[in-house]
Amino acid sequence: MSTSLDPSRLEDAEAAEAADPGGMLRQVASSAAQVREARRAAAEAGIAGLAEDGRPRAIVIAGMGGSGISGDALAAVCGEGCAVPISTVRGYRLPGWVGAADLVIAVSCSGTTEETLEVAAEAARRGCRLLAVGGAGSPLADLAGRSRGLFVPVRSAGQPRSTLWGLTIPLILAARELRLADVSDAVLESTAALLEDVAHRCRPSSEPFVNPAKRIALDLAGDVPLVWGSSAVASAAAYRLCCQLNENAKYPAVFGEVPEADHNQVMAFDGSFARAASPADPDDFFRDRAEEPEHGLHLVMMRDVEEHPQVRKRCGASAAAARDRGVAVSEIRAEGDHPLERIASLIALADYVTVYLAIALGVDPTPVPAIEELKARIA
């Protein structure tokens, strides 16, 4: 992978944009606009009416890929103290316990995702309350209409994975109407402003030594990332980073969360992918590197403002243990106070990292040929 690495592709806006013919950078930069547009679309669709039937027993989000991430984001924003359980279904089947007392939210940017349509249809048959979020005029919109469900139309930013906030904000607003999330209009606007700020810092014209996303992308190139989250907010962002590395950069990544990763993944630091020839002296500049692996592990810590005290200690200890064994460590820290601001800041920077890594490696971030091939094979 490193043989195709060309950092010069990130040195100026013209070079970066030339290597991004599908315009993924522009799609990522639309995140703030998505927040504002989705807020209007949800209001116009009548999201306030969700509260008329009272609070559901549980909320189940049906979605695949970037649409499924919206469910993770909703659960993270509502928090562990949420009065009802929130879970995401990534597949064809609705859990057996889901029934008329529950709210099922079907999310599909295109409105044609077969797994999501199957789950939504099953929810309708069981008499569940149904909210659908996705493409206007789609099979999902039609299903919601036939099932007396609420439908919120979403305009794609170009690719489903880059329409995350258009898909997520209607879910956040639904939770607000059900009094499960304290997200004011001011928080929505401050989140949009934060997304604009990250976009400015990570803009294509910003050089790698001052652009945090370009810098992290170049640090990751050639390594196998272990991406760990330190809270529900950070873990949702960590999983998103792994998925975006897969789709945008066509690059492998391993997701983990602390403290669980300290009970299994941490042992990879002692394996063949750790760079240090001698754990006792990994910082010896004059050691023989000839026998060290060209590529190694890279621990990416997604850190939150609010962390359990023991998790905070574990994150520090894990990073120290990694460095002692020659494993590179990068850290991405959340910004803002509200959970929505924090998860948005982490995801925004992570999205830029994955696009810049693709560009640096000479990979077009937009097309997903393997996914299209799989769809054709099962059609």
Side-chain angles (χ1 to χ4, degrees):
M1 193 66 88
S2 62
T3 56
S4 63
L5 176 66
D6 182 359
S8 69
R9 297 188 187 105
L10 301 184
E11 287 179 0
D12 58 61
E14 285 188 9
E17 290 170 0
D20 178 28
M24 185 57 71
L25 283 169
R26 289 193 298 275
Q27 294 178 39
V28 173
S30 72
S31 295
Q34 290 178 40
V35 172
R36 296 176 177 125
E37 185 175 333
R39 175 183 163 192
R40 290 193 296 270
E44 291 169 2
I47 199 80
L50 271 184
E52 292 175 1
D53 294 325
R55 183 177 286 173
R57 179 183 62 174
I59 297 177
V60 177
I61 298 91
M64 306 299 300
S67 299
I69 297 288
S70 66
D72 300 337
L74 174 65
V77 170
C78 289
E80 294 168 347
C82 184
V84 306
I86 299 173
S87 59
T88 300
V89 172
R90 292 177 166 93
Y92 293 92
R93 293 185 174 177
L94 191 64
W97 57 263
V98 180
D102 305 308
L103 171 64
V104 173
I105 307 178
V107 186
S108 169
C109 187
S110 66
T112 62
T113 308
E114 65 174 26
E115 299 95 332
T116 305
L117 287 170
E118 192 161 324
V119 172
E122 179 62 25
R125 284 193 293 271
R126 295 188 196 179
C128 303
R129 294 162 63 180
L130 182 64
L131 167 63
V133 180
S138 65
L140 181 61
D142 181 59
L143 190 154
R146 287 185 283 108
S147 307
R148 291 178 298 185
L150 179 65
F151 180 75
V152 179
V154 172
R155 183 171 59 87
S156 174
Q159 293 292 315
R161 61 187 182 275
S162 51
T163 313
L164 175 64
W165 298 108
L167 298 168
T168 300
I169 294 304
L171 277 60
I172 301 291
L173 294 174
R176 181 174 79 174
E177 294 300 332
L178 295 169
R179 300 195 176 185
L180 298 173
D182 182 13
V183 183
S184 65
D185 288 346
V187 166
L188 290 171
E189 181 53 36
S190 64
T191 299
L194 183 53
L195 288 167
E196 287 176 329
D197 184 54
V198 175
H200 177 71
R201 281 178 271 159
C202 298
R203 65 194 184 279
S205 61
S206 174
E207 296 181 5
F209 67 91
V210 294
N211 185 316
K214 289 182 180 180
R215 189 168 61 247
I216 294 171
L218 291 173
D219 287 345
L220 284 179
D223 288 349
V224 178
L226 299 180
V227 188
W228 293 0
S230 65
S231 70
V233 163
S235 292
Y239 182 67
R240 164 72 171 189
L241 173 53
C242 290
C243 294
Q244 291 289 82
L245 284 167
N246 299 158
E247 289 198 72
N248 286 337
K250 287 66 179 174
Y251 203 87
V254 182
F255 163 70
E257 50 191 335
V258 182
E260 173 65 15
D262 279 346
H263 292 262
N264 37 61
Q265 287 188 25
V266 70
M267 287 308 304
F269 297 169
D270 287 333
S272 57
F273 278 81
R275 279 199 183 84
S278 169
D281 195 14
D283 296 322
D284 179 8
F285 181 80
F286 297 102
R287 72 182 186 277
D288 183 6
R289 290 173 170 81
E291 296 183 0
E292 293 184 12
E294 181 183 359
H295 310 308
L297 292 179
H298 195 125
L299 179 61
V300 181
M301 303 290 290
M302 305 288 275
R303 300 296 301 274
D304 195 7
V305 174
E306 295 183 10
E307 298 170 341
H308 188 284
Q310 286 299 106
V311 167
R312 189 174 299 114
K313 288 169 63 176
R314 282 182 173 274
C315 287
S318 297
R323 291 189 179 98
D324 287 348
R325 289 161 172 79
V327 174
V329 179
S330 294
E331 191 172 86
I332 300 176
R333 286 193 171 268
E335 301 174 46
D337 298 317
H338 193 277
L340 182 59
E341 296 171 332
R342 284 152 37 208
I343 195 170
S345 69
L346 288 170
I347 287 176
L349 179 56
D351 283 357
Y352 275 105
V353 168
T354 65
V355 179
Y356 284 130
L357 178 58
I359 290 170
L361 293 172
V363 172
D364 187 344
T366 302
V368 283
I371 292 178
E372 297 304 324
E373 179 186 335
L374 282 170
K375 287 180 180 178
R377 283 175 177 265
I378 64 174

